[in-house]
Amino acid sequence: MVDTKEFYADCDNGRLPQVCWVIPSDAVSEHPPSSVLDGMAYVTGLINHIMQSTNWPSCAIFLCWDDWGGFYDHVPPPKVDRYGLGLRVPSMVISPYAKRGYIDHQTHSFESWLHLLEERFGLAPMTDRDQNADDMLECFDFNQPPRPPVVLSATRQGTPYPFEP
């Protein structure tokens, strides 16, 4: 657990640990009464910083929200155990090895990240949920050359994704 300033310093000095969880403060969390625009600018700036660092060539960023936004979801949550998975939430994989334009239609859960880390570092599963979760490896193509970063403007107005034919 470190302050965001230390995260940026570690990123600048190529000292990020092999695994980081970045959790925004309330002011940029996008939870009411916080502004979604402020949260968007914060996350964009954070990802841009990583992309422009020496960490980018070996990086995988899993960007996810912990809420569904309060909108109706017409798909019932899957039953994986007595608790179920809950409502679907948006998520993105950002990496020089992420498949371009790939939309994954498999069911993932927050435990999918744990499963991937457990495989990567040879760790035993902590629970049945992470043991049975998908590892999300289908989102990557490690045979492709690493792609350069796509740096977006970290403004409250947002930036459309640049057009690439």
Side-chain angles (χ1 to χ4, degrees), residues 39-115:
M40 176 181 67
Y42 169 78
V43 170
T44 302
L46 185 81
I47 292 172
N48 283 346
H49 202 87
I50 296 167
M51 286 181 162
Q52 294 171 313
S53 76
T54 59
N55 301 284
W56 175 246
S58 61
C59 187
I61 300 168
F62 297 91
L63 174 60
C64 188
W65 288 260
D66 65 348
D67 288 321
W68 76 102
F71 298 103
Y72 175 76
D73 189 355
H74 69 287
V75 177
K79 288 283 190 193
V80 297
D81 57 22
R82 65 184 180 152
Y83 302 108
L85 288 182
L87 297 169
R88 296 181 298 171
V89 295
S91 181
M92 292 182 233
V93 176
I94 304 166
S95 170
Y97 296 98
K99 292 179 182 175
R100 181 185 297 274
Y102 181 69
I103 298 174
D104 191 345
H105 296 284
Q106 295 187 58
T107 300
H108 299 293
S109 66
F110 296 117
E111 292 85 10
S112 295
W113 304 328
L114 293 176
H115 189 118

Side-chain angles (χ1 to χ4, degrees), residues 116-146:
L116 178 65
L117 293 173
E118 290 161 353
E119 285 180 346
R120 166 67 179 87
F121 295 107
L123 302 171
M126 295 189 299
T127 68
D128 286 341
R129 285 189 98 161
D130 53 302
Q131 180 175 353
N132 296 318
D134 185 82
D135 61 14
M136 298 182 73
L137 282 176
E138 65 279 354
C139 299
F140 298 93
D141 179 359
F142 295 109
N143 294 316
Q144 73 184 13

